[in-house]
Amino acid sequence: MPGRAGDRPEGPADLRLVPPALAVWGAAAISLGLPGRWVAAVSVMCAVLALTLLTVASRTRIPMLARAPGSRDAPRNREAPSGQEAPRNREAPGGQEALRSSHHQQGPRGWGQSRQEPRGWGRAQPEPGRREQARQQPGGRGQGERARGGQEASHPRGGSQGNGRAAGRARLAAAGGAVLLCAAGGAAVAGLHGADVRRGPVPVLAREYVRVDADVRVTSDPRTTRPAVRGSHSTRPLLLLDAEATEVRAVQGRHARHARVRTPVLLMVAADDHRAEWRKLLPSTRLRLSGRLSPPAHEGERLAAVLRVEGEGPPRITGPPTWIQRAAGELRAGLREATDGLDADARALLPGLVVGDTSRVPPELHEAFKATDLTHLLSVSGANLSILLFLLVGPPGAALSAERRGLAPVLGLSLRTTAVIGGAMTLAFIVVCRPEPSVLRAAACGLITLLAIGTGRRRSLIPALAAAVVLLVLYDPWLARSYGFLLSVLATGALLTIAPRWSLALRARRVPGRLAEVLAAAAAAQAVCAPVVVVLASRVSLVAVPCNLLAEFAVAPATVLGFAALAVAPVAPPVAELLARVAGWPVGWIATVARTGAGLPGAEAQWPGGWPGAALLAGLTVLLVCVAPRLARRPWVCAAAGLLLVLVVLRPVPLTRIMTGWPPPGWAFALCDVGQGDAMVLAAGKGTGVVVDAGPDPRAIDRCLRDLAVTRVPLVVLTHFHADHVRGLPGVLRGRAVGAIQTTSLEEPPEQAAFVRRTAAGAGVPTVRAVAGEHRRWGPVDWRVLWPRPGPGGAEAAREPNDSSVTLRVRAAGGLTLLLLGDLEPPAQRELLRGGEASGPVDILKVAHHGSSYQDAGLLHSVRPRLALISCGADNPYGHPSPRTVGALRAAGARVLRTDTDGPIAVTGAGRGLRAMGRS
């Protein structure tokens, strides 16, 4: 019974197009940042060398072809003995059919014999008598024989070896010429694109930061920046749009400039009150706007300038989008509307999984996907297109066989019709999902494969990938510098080359087939992509492979149902809502996997960044792959390695304390290392802690609380609403039971106060205001609120956010006394000292305002701390802590510890038994 097409064993990988693809890619990436004359010189030099090599190769092949055995010019056989006609070929063992099969499978070697053909085949050998007779005949063949092959008669293999070496040199020259020719083409095209960005008046005006009026054409969907903490404030989110400036008008002094251009720019829009209108803009929409130009952040980018749009009004539209973009926008909007009734995670993720629309994904969920290396699910890639084409064509191996599957044979579609429909689906896929690097790579590979199906040719995916790289880089050379494109190509190449071999190795060790395929694919993609991720993020995910395995089974049903909802949304919204509701189940599972994996204490490991760190990780990966077969023969070594990895990821608190000694047993107070910000924890019982401030980063405070094994927080005190004290609040709430959030009375800055209220309401945690004189107790901890104080002096001093900081005097476990000042400035410190509440010695002083120079010397001498703790970030731009403040504290007899050099700090004991331990 004949096997299926997909069951035939694959031959050696066809890598002939890989060197030209790498040449185009490398030449384009380098040439984009070079001056034009350098690019021209490199292109010409490569082209000349390429033509030289190709000429050498062609001239080498001509004489070889003329003298090749079996060619038209060479005799096929010599005379047979006894006057009989010599056969043209002797039969191989197994007959002529075996010989044909051998030639068919192996193909010609050079221009003569097959590699498996015996030396005697191809022509019969005459007897010595007949050979002598032939020499003596006038006009006979003796002279020709002597001229053609005198040495070949005495050394039968010499000519064959010479021809083989010449053929090898010719092939090498031809391959080198092709590579250099591709490099010349890549460099030339990239040079033209780079010069196109740099030419015209826009780059010049950007370097002078000129205000302009511009007409632009939008080329991307709006995307929102993530808020970042900058000292006391967090940057407000902006809308970013890629656009092409078509007309620019500027006034410089007495001179007005007006020019028609085609220059790529980046639009930065605030428009808080009209954000919804800006978010509805579609690619190809034409706008008229005013703003100030500035140079791009990095040289060698696709952008010529950044245009910061002035005003906060709605966009001024001068031309609507094209009909195809309107249709794509309606489909995307229909999918968003169909997901409105789902829970928060499914509502955010389903549009991202299907069409790459991540506008609803919250920052904490996005961070969870980054920690587990699942972000490829939020950027549309080959997996999405493969699922769609699988429905049409069926399994890849059966696409050209009589047993092909999918919808095409069910509908009675021919191969050519199937290829045409698949091509239309691929083009629609590009428009709806937008031409991102991963989308373009997937679409190009898909179109090349569909072309092979339509023409009835054998499909080979590695040449298709290489050809896609060549075509895409020549079409858009900026892809050569895109990390997204690099990750997409690397992952696809790993799935085509490494994963099948690893899958076979796993099957040989009795791993079930489907599990072996999925495990090999996840491991191969992670192995080749992790070094690039290190360049971008300086970290390695230790849970990426298991999380990708667990999420893999939900991707296909979620994608199919999501695309179905996308397709029917314009005509049947209720059906689309039903499909989205069903798709919400697998999408919810993916979100759960991401959040659970990211929540593990050792989900990520810090790694040296940049290309040196990437090279180190790549070297270690290669070493591990080389020794893996030997380790696999030692089950106890594999078991020990697996157990060690599990312990590193889970980081059990008892084991962590044994290994690091932090936190020490019986700790009463901890100052977390959250960078440039404040976050403290007071031990209030087993697994319980009172948190004072949350720092700027949710991940940092969450990690600190996990290290301290705090799972219950009866109260969170936010001393004031500066971002470096409150933006980490989601990290405190993550996976913990929180009783209440206490804040100061001055709600400044208002946007940060609104953030706290919004975050607390989302978690269902009540907020209360701190009142001076208030006394609270929880377990072994009791504290009193000293500030802000109402009435004369207190109200006047607390007019600024720093001076309104909630100040606490605390008695912790074991009798430890603390004074926590928040960010109080000297005027408020003097009023606090004048009231008498803060006077008297304490064991620990949390130094105000990250150890800045603004301190009241009288307060420092009054409290006479044994230990002064400063929370600040390494290499912060404010110079914290001030050397003068550190000197004053030491002069007062305090031991000074700081988080930028000592790491998180835990304190045990009290009085003379006071001990502090950092973990640097």
Side-chain angles (χ1 to χ4, degrees):
M1 177 178 170
R4 294 176 180 172
D7 296 332
R8 291 195 301 267
E10 291 291 335
D14 186 355
L15 303 178
R16 287 175 296 176
L17 284 180
V18 173
L22 294 177
V24 170
W25 196 340
I30 295 172
S31 301
L32 284 170
L34 295 178
R37 54 182 180 275
W38 288 21
V39 175
V42 170
S43 301
V44 171
M45 182 176 64
C46 289
V48 170
L49 290 175
L51 294 177
T52 302
L53 290 175
L54 293 175
T55 302
V56 170
S58 63
R59 290 181 176 177
T60 305
R61 290 171 185 265
I62 294 173
M64 288 173 59
L65 182 61
R67 297 206 308 254
S71 67
R72 291 183 179 179
D73 297 308
R76 293 192 177 181
N77 61 300
R78 299 180 180 177
E79 295 181 20
S82 305
Q84 298 177 0
E85 182 179 354
R88 293 187 179 181
N89 253 328
R90 298 179 183 176
E91 290 190 4
Q96 292 290 342
E97 288 300 320
L99 180 60
R100 290 195 200 99
S101 176
S102 174
H103 278 282
H104 176 72
Q105 292 178 6
Q106 298 296 329
R109 185 166 180 83
W111 286 266
Q113 299 167 325
S114 169
R115 182 177 184 179
Q116 295 183 354
E117 184 179 352
R119 282 177 293 173
W121 295 6
R123 53 189 178 188
Q125 301 296 328
E127 294 178 355
R130 304 287 293 183
R131 186 181 302 162
E132 185 66 25
Q133 181 180 357
R135 288 196 189 102
Q136 295 174 0
Q137 290 178 355
R141 299 171 58 191
Q143 300 296 328
E145 254 342 290
R146 197 177 294 116
R148 277 193 298 265
Q151 293 184 357
E152 187 175 343
S154 58
H155 302 286
R157 299 182 60 183
S160 176
Q161 290 178 350
N163 287 341
R165 286 193 296 269
R169 288 194 296 268
R171 283 193 294 268
L172 184 60
V179 169
L180 288 173
L181 195 60
C182 289
V189 173
L192 292 174
H193 277 73
D196 191 53
V197 169
R198 294 187 293 267
R199 70 183 175 89
V202 173
V204 178
L205 296 174
R207 288 193 292 270
E208 298 174 0
Y209 296 89
V210 175
R211 183 190 179 279
V212 299
D213 297 325
D215 292 347
V216 302
R217 181 175 62 86
V218 178
T219 57
S220 74
D221 289 302
R223 54 193 185 275
T224 305
T225 61
R226 305 288 182 187
V229 175
R230 294 289 184 270
S232 60
H233 294 267
S234 63
T235 58
R236 56 178 180 171
L238 300 174
L239 287 179
L240 304 180
L241 298 94
D242 295 326
E244 183 181 69
T246 57
E247 190 172 349
V248 176
R249 297 170 293 279
V251 177
Q252 292 179 282
R254 297 181 179 180
H255 302 282
R257 302 185 64 175
H258 178 276
R260 293 186 179 275
V261 296
R262 290 187 59 186
T263 306
V265 296
L266 175 67
L267 306 182
M268 301 182 66
V269 185
D272 295 331
D273 296 334
H274 298 274
R275 182 175 295 269
E277 298 172 59
W278 283 90
R279 290 196 65 87
K280 293 179 181 178
L281 292 177
L282 296 174
S284 73
T285 304
R286 296 184 177 273
L287 304 175
R288 177 165 296 166
L289 41 81
S290 302
R292 190 170 297 277
L293 290 171
S294 62
H298 305 285
E299 291 291 335
E301 290 190 2
R302 184 193 298 261
L303 304 172
V306 176
L307 179 57
R308 300 177 183 271
V309 179
E310 295 178 349
E312 298 185 355
R316 291 181 291 171
I317 299 176
T318 59
T322 60
W323 69 268
I324 193 169
Q325 292 294 348
R326 285 198 303 271
E330 290 174 0
L331 289 173
R332 293 166 68 97
L335 180 60
R336 285 194 297 268
E337 293 173 3
T339 60
D340 284 341
L342 305 181
D343 62 66
D345 282 349
R347 182 171 62 252
L349 286 180
L350 187 57
L353 185 67
V354 176
V355 295
D357 182 0
T358 59
S359 58
R360 292 178 171 179
V361 178
E364 62 273 12
L365 184 57
H366 192 267
E367 291 297 331
F369 271 72
K370 287 174 60 178
T372 53
D373 278 355
L374 290 173
T375 49
H376 61 92
L377 298 179
L378 299 179
S379 58
V380 179
S381 63
N384 304 61
L385 182 60
S386 297
I387 291 171
L388 292 180
L389 295 180
F390 183 89
L391 294 176
L392 177 67
V393 180
L400 295 178
S401 69
E403 302 174 5
R404 63 193 183 107
R405 288 172 282 174
L407 294 177
V410 173
L411 300 175
L413 302 178
S414 65
L415 288 178
R416 291 187 178 181
T417 305
T418 301
V420 171
I421 295 176
M425 290 174 56
T426 303
L427 295 178
F429 177 80
I430 296 174
V431 175
V432 174
C433 299
R434 307 307 189 211
E436 298 295 330
S438 58
V439 175
L440 291 175
R441 195 274 313 154
C445 288
L447 289 173
I448 293 173
T449 304
L450 289 168
L451 179 63
I453 292 176
T455 56
R457 302 190 179 199
R458 183 180 182 274
R459 301 185 305 161
S460 185
L461 295 181
I462 296 177
L465 176 62
V469 169
V470 172
L471 295 176
L472 289 174
V473 172
L474 291 178
Y475 170 73
D476 184 4
W478 295 102
L479 290 174
R481 290 193 171 189
S482 168
Y483 283 106
F485 186 70
L486 175 61
L487 288 170
S488 178
V489 173
L490 285 177
T492 305
L495 295 180
L496 295 178
T497 57
I498 302 175
R501 291 172 173 79
W502 289 5
S503 176
L504 291 175
L506 291 173
R507 290 181 181 182
R509 288 167 175 79
R510 299 182 181 180
V511 177
R514 177 57 180 163
L515 178 59
E517 290 179 4
V518 177
L519 181 60
Q526 180 67 16
V528 299
C529 292
V532 181
V533 175
V534 162
V535 175
L536 301 175
S538 302
R539 56 137 187 110
V540 176
S541 176
L542 301 181
V543 297
V545 173
C547 286
N548 274 275
L549 286 175
L550 293 173
E552 177 69 24
F553 302 101
V555 172
T559 302
V560 172
L561 292 169
F563 272 111
L566 175 80
V568 304
V571 294
V575 178
E577 293 176 5
L578 176 61
L579 292 170
R581 191 173 297 112
V582 178
W585 299 338
V587 170
W589 167 253
I590 295 173
T592 301
V593 169
R595 290 188 182 276
T596 304
L600 296 173
E604 296 178 282
Q606 297 302 310
W607 194 268
W611 290 110
L616 175 62
L617 181 58
L620 291 177
T621 302
V622 171
L623 178 63
L624 179 61
V625 171
C626 292
V627 302
R630 296 183 180 181
L631 295 179
R633 292 192 289 268
R634 295 172 174 82
W636 65 272
V637 176
C638 297
L643 178 61
L644 179 61
L645 180 60
V646 170
L647 292 177
V648 169
V649 171
L650 296 181
R651 290 185 188 176
V653 174
L655 181 62
T656 303
R657 286 179 176 174
I658 294 173
M659 298 296 294
T660 65
W662 199 96
W667 66 274
F669 173 79
L671 181 65
C672 298
D673 182 9
V674 293
Q676 185 66 17
D678 273 5
M680 295 156 278
V681 186
L682 295 160
K686 184 177 181 179
T688 305
V690 175
V691 176
V692 181
D693 283 330
D697 183 4
R699 294 174 298 176
I701 181 61
D702 182 35
R703 181 172 57 250
C704 181
L705 292 174
R706 287 181 181 276
D707 291 342
L708 297 170
V710 173
T711 58
R712 186 183 181 196
V713 181
L715 183 70
V716 179
V717 180
L718 300 178
T719 58
H720 59 297
F721 287 107
H722 276 167
D724 55 341
H725 292 250
V726 303
R727 273 285 168 176
L729 181 59
V732 180
L733 302 176
R734 187 175 300 157
R736 296 177 182 85
V738 178
I741 298 173
Q742 189 175 53
T743 68
T744 186
S745 55
L746 181 65
E747 296 190 350
E748 291 287 342
E751 67 273 10
Q752 304 306 324
F755 166 78
V756 170
R757 290 194 301 269
R758 187 169 60 250
T759 304
V765 179
T767 58
V768 294
R769 288 188 176 181
V771 179
E774 172 186 348
H775 183 270
R776 287 177 178 258
R777 182 181 183 88
W778 192 276
V781 183
D782 70 81
W783 65 93
R784 187 156 45 94
V785 178
L786 307 181
W787 191 269
R789 187 175 62 225
E796 289 139 3
R799 290 179 179 177
E800 297 294 331
N802 282 344
D803 284 334
S804 69
S805 296
V806 176
T807 303
L808 305 176
R809 190 177 182 101
V810 182
R811 179 173 292 275
L816 179 70
T817 58
L818 307 96
L819 181 62
L820 311 180
L821 294 176
D823 277 358
L824 286 187
E825 302 283 356
Q829 293 181 20
R830 285 191 289 269
E831 285 296 328
L832 182 64
L833 183 61
R834 188 176 295 116
E837 301 95 336
S839 60
V842 295
D843 293 319
I844 296 177
L845 172 68
K846 201 290 294 181
V847 182
H849 204 180
H850 318 293
S852 75
S853 59
Y854 300 105
Q855 309 289 337
D856 182 67
L859 179 63
L860 297 182
H861 287 89
S862 174
V863 298
R864 300 190 301 278
R866 294 177 180 271
L867 186 63
L869 303 182
I870 300 174
S871 179
C872 58
D875 302 321
N876 66 82
Y878 312 102
H880 295 162
S882 167
R884 184 174 66 182
T885 299
V886 174
L889 290 167
R890 288 174 176 164
R895 177 191 175 196
V896 179
L897 294 178
R898 36 196 281 194
T899 57
D900 62 333
T901 57
D902 299 301
I905 302 163
V907 181
T908 62
R912 295 184 180 277
L914 184 68
R915 297 289 184 272
M917 177 182 292
R919 188 182 66 184
S920 56

